[in-house]
């Protein structure tokens, strides 16, 4: 018996043919789907083996099209288990016995990625986001992380002779994006390490075009309740109309406890001067792939997309983000783990009599006094935290929440340093 199949030696189709018919058969490898069908139709092979589903495309449309237009009949089906490579942020491979991938699977992925540009409009990801947040697809802008979204907003709306308003001790990118556009900085003093919305409203000037709110705030972890955000947006729009655009940066939103969560997309529907920015880098665990998005009404979205780079979100990032949106179990695990880790750190700070800012994110800002000395001592022990002197907090450190053992290592190191 001769079996025609798709692909070179080692392909999935060859493996399926050998498993189904045995190794005694004569093999006829073919370079295309069409060639497999022609070989069997012409009698050069007794049977053919073609994929109807694979790991890169899902349904293989060419096979299905040919099956509809051939006198050949389907005799059976062979399913293969495909082993995939595993990726982990922690690098902990305990309990994993084998890590392997079929060479053909790697070749298919590599070939496709090297031959094709990313979808410049991110259709599948936008469709998934539109369904999740119940907004039209043309309300969504994709970014290379939410940093990119913030930069795009500044590029679209700021120029010399305009100004941006943001809070003291807020995300450094607001300052950098404003500076890059040659616009004027209006920095509003923080209130309890967070946003003073009343003062920020009063700070809006005639040349103000953009106002940033980080909620929860980075690096302090503070949070503004939804009713206060809504009231602020109403004041801004009533006083300034669409002249002042508000960016509500919700990078850490998924870490909020349920009682603090609110529907910011409902605010987008109400206020045409609002951009809500989100990211897949935090709770979704895709920081290395760099994918974020904004939700805004079409007039603003059109402006953002005019200045957005056309291939700013790569193919793997788009695919991973679509998958992440559907993985509710992982998101819940990330929230639960973060909540437990936050309690672990705060209990240690209480025991060490260190002041800290109650956090709504995945980090805790803690007052340690001589922050440069303690940061260096932690580095020498292999523990990395973030100094925040550049954010106007020279005696504080921002500590990211990790896995229980990572938190414990930090706590042990800090305890030892403080006792020296």
């Amino acid at each position: 018996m001769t079996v025609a199949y798709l692909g070179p030696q080692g392909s999935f189709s060859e493996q399926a043919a050998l498993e189904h018919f045995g190794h005694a058969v004569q093999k006829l490898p073919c370079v295309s789907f069409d060639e497999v069908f022609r070989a069997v139709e012409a009698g050069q092979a007794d049977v053919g083996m073609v994929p109807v589903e694979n790991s890169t495309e899902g349904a293989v449309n060419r096979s299905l099209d040919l099956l509809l237009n051939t006198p050949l009949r389907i005799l059976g089906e062979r399913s293969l288990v495909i082993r995939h490579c595993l990726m982990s942020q922690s690098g902990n491979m305990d309990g994993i016995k084998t890590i392997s991938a079929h060479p053909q699977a790697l070749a298919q992925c590599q070939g496709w990625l090297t031959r094709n540009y990313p979808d410049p409009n991110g259709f599948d990801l936008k469709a998934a986001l539109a369904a999740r947040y119940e907004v039209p697809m043309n309300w969504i802008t994709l970014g290379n992380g939410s940093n990119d979204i913030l930069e795009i907003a500044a590029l679209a709306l700021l120029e010399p002779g305009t100004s941006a308003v943001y809070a003291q001790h807020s995300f450094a990118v607001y300052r950098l994006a404003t500076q890059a556009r040659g616009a004027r900085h209006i920095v509003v003093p923080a209130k309890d390490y967070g946003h003073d919305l009343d003062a920020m409203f009063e700070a809006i000037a005639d040349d103000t075009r953009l106002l940033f709110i980080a909620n929860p705030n980075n690096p302090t972890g503070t949070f503004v309740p939804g009713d206060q955000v809504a009231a602020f947006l109403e004041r801004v729009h009533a006083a300034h109309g669409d002249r002042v655009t508000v960016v509500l940066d919700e990078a850490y939103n998924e870490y909020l406890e349920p009682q603090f969560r609110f529907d910011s997309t409902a605010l987008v529907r109400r206020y045409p001067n609002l951009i809500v920015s989100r990211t897949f880098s935090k709770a979704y665990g895709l920081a290395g792939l760099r994918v974020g998005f904004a939700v805004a009404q079409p007039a603003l979205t059109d402006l953002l997309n005019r200045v957005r780079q056309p291939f700013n979100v790569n193919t793997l990032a788009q695919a991973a983000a679509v998958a992440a949106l559907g993985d509710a179990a992982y998101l819940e695990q990330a929230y639960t783990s973060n909540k437990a880790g936050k309690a672990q750190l705060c209990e240690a700070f209480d025991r060490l009599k260190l002041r800290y800012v109650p956090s709504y994110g995945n980090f805790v800002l803690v007052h340690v006094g001589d922050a440069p000395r303690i940061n260096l001592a932690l580095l020498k022990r292999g523990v990395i935290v973030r100094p925040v002197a550049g954010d106007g907090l020279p005696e504080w450190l921002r500590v990211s929440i990790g896995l229980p053992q990572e938190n414990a290592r930090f706590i042990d190191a800090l305890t030892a340093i403080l006792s020296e």
Side-chain angles (χ1 to χ4, degrees):
M1 175 184 287
T2 300
V3 180
Y5 59 87
L6 176 69
Q9 184 176 2
S11 69
F12 284 132
S13 293
E14 181 194 45
Q15 181 181 341
L18 295 179
E19 287 189 7
H20 195 82
F21 297 107
H23 288 263
V25 298
Q26 295 294 316
K27 297 183 292 183
L28 179 60
C30 299
V31 298
S32 69
F33 295 94
D34 300 64
E35 187 176 316
V36 175
F37 278 81
R38 286 198 301 268
V40 180
E41 289 170 356
Q44 297 171 342
D46 299 295
V47 294
M49 181 72 75
V50 293
V52 293
E53 186 176 73
N54 66 29
S55 59
T56 58
E57 300 175 62
V60 180
N61 292 330
R62 187 58 185 158
S63 287
L64 300 178
D65 291 342
L66 291 167
L67 285 167
L68 292 174
N69 296 283
T70 180
L72 305 178
R73 295 291 179 264
I74 298 173
L75 299 178
E77 180 180 282
R78 190 77 186 188
S79 298
L80 300 180
V81 175
I82 303 172
R83 293 178 177 176
H84 293 77
C85 290
L86 301 176
M87 295 180 289
S88 168
Q89 287 188 358
S90 68
N92 181 5
M93 295 299 174
D94 294 344
I96 297 175
K97 297 179 181 178
T98 59
I99 304 173
S100 60
H102 195 290
Q104 181 72 5
L106 293 177
Q108 285 176 339
C109 292
Q110 185 178 37
W112 194 91
L113 289 170
T114 54
R115 289 193 307 270
N116 296 272
Y117 281 96
D119 177 358
N121 293 310
F123 181 88
D124 290 341
L125 178 53
K126 283 185 178 179
L129 289 167
R132 167 63 60 87
Y133 293 101
E134 299 181 342
V135 296
M137 286 176 62
N138 67 345
W139 286 33
I140 296 170
T141 303
L142 300 181
N144 189 242
S146 59
N147 276 32
D148 191 30
I149 294 294
L150 304 175
E151 294 277 3
I152 290 170
L155 181 60
L157 298 165
L158 294 178
E159 61 183 348
T162 64
S163 67
V165 176
Y166 55 90
Q168 180 191 26
H169 310 323
S170 61
F171 191 29
V173 170
Y174 309 153
R175 170 171 50 83
L176 297 174
T178 301
Q179 178 178 310
R181 304 281 74 80
R184 184 167 66 96
H185 305 258
I186 301 177
V187 184
V188 179
K191 180 179 181 181
D192 298 327
Y193 302 99
H195 293 71
D196 184 343
L197 294 187
D198 290 335
M200 292 180 73
F201 176 80
E202 296 299 332
I204 295 172
D206 291 341
D207 65 353
T208 299
R209 296 294 179 269
L210 199 54
L211 185 149
F212 294 100
I213 300 173
N215 202 38
N217 185 45
N218 174 23
T220 64
T222 57
F223 173 71
V224 181
D227 58 344
Q228 295 182 29
V229 172
F232 177 78
L233 291 169
E234 179 62 34
R235 290 180 70 191
V236 172
H237 194 257
H240 303 286
D242 295 346
R243 176 176 68 83
V244 178
T245 297
V246 177
V247 175
L248 183 59
D249 179 1
E250 295 188 323
Y252 299 90
N253 179 270
E254 288 81 9
Y255 295 113
L256 291 173
E257 295 187 24
Q259 67 268 28
F260 298 116
R261 298 174 189 173
F262 63 94
D263 183 8
S264 55
T265 55
L267 298 176
V268 174
R269 296 184 189 95
R270 193 182 315 165
Y271 299 107
N273 64 324
L274 175 62
I275 299 171
V276 170
S277 173
R278 292 279 189 93
T279 184
F280 286 88
S281 295
K282 310 304 179 186
Y284 285 104
L286 302 181
L289 289 176
R290 310 306 302 139
V291 53
F293 64 96
V295 181
Q297 290 193 24
L300 272 177
T301 301
D302 178 60
L303 285 177
L304 299 180
N305 279 295
R306 289 183 193 181
V307 299
R308 177 185 62 84
Q309 293 293 320
F311 303 108
N312 61 333
V313 182
N314 70 66
T315 300
L316 290 177
Q318 291 184 37
V322 171
L325 278 174
D327 195 347
Y330 177 85
L331 193 62
E332 179 63 24
Q333 179 185 359
Y335 163 76
T336 302
S337 176
N338 185 74
K339 182 178 180 180
K342 189 189 307 181
Q344 185 181 5
L345 292 184
C346 291
E347 288 168 5
F349 296 150
D350 287 336
R351 186 171 65 254
L352 294 169
K353 296 182 170 50
L354 296 175
R355 285 192 297 132
Y356 58 90
V357 179
S359 175
Y360 294 81
N362 68 339
F363 54 84
V364 181
L365 184 70
V366 58
H367 184 269
V368 295
D370 190 353
R373 179 186 72 82
I374 291 175
N375 178 57
L376 180 60
L378 286 169
L379 285 172
K380 290 179 178 178
R381 288 168 169 80
V383 177
I384 300 175
V385 296
R386 180 183 155 188
V388 284
D391 299 293
L393 298 160
E395 297 184 343
W396 298 73
L397 294 174
R398 198 198 78 163
V399 183
S400 294
I401 298 165
L403 298 172
Q405 62 271 25
E406 295 168 335
N407 299 332
R409 180 176 176 182
F410 159 73
I411 292 167
D412 290 344
L414 181 63
T415 301
I417 293 166
L418 292 176
S419 65
E420 290 176 351

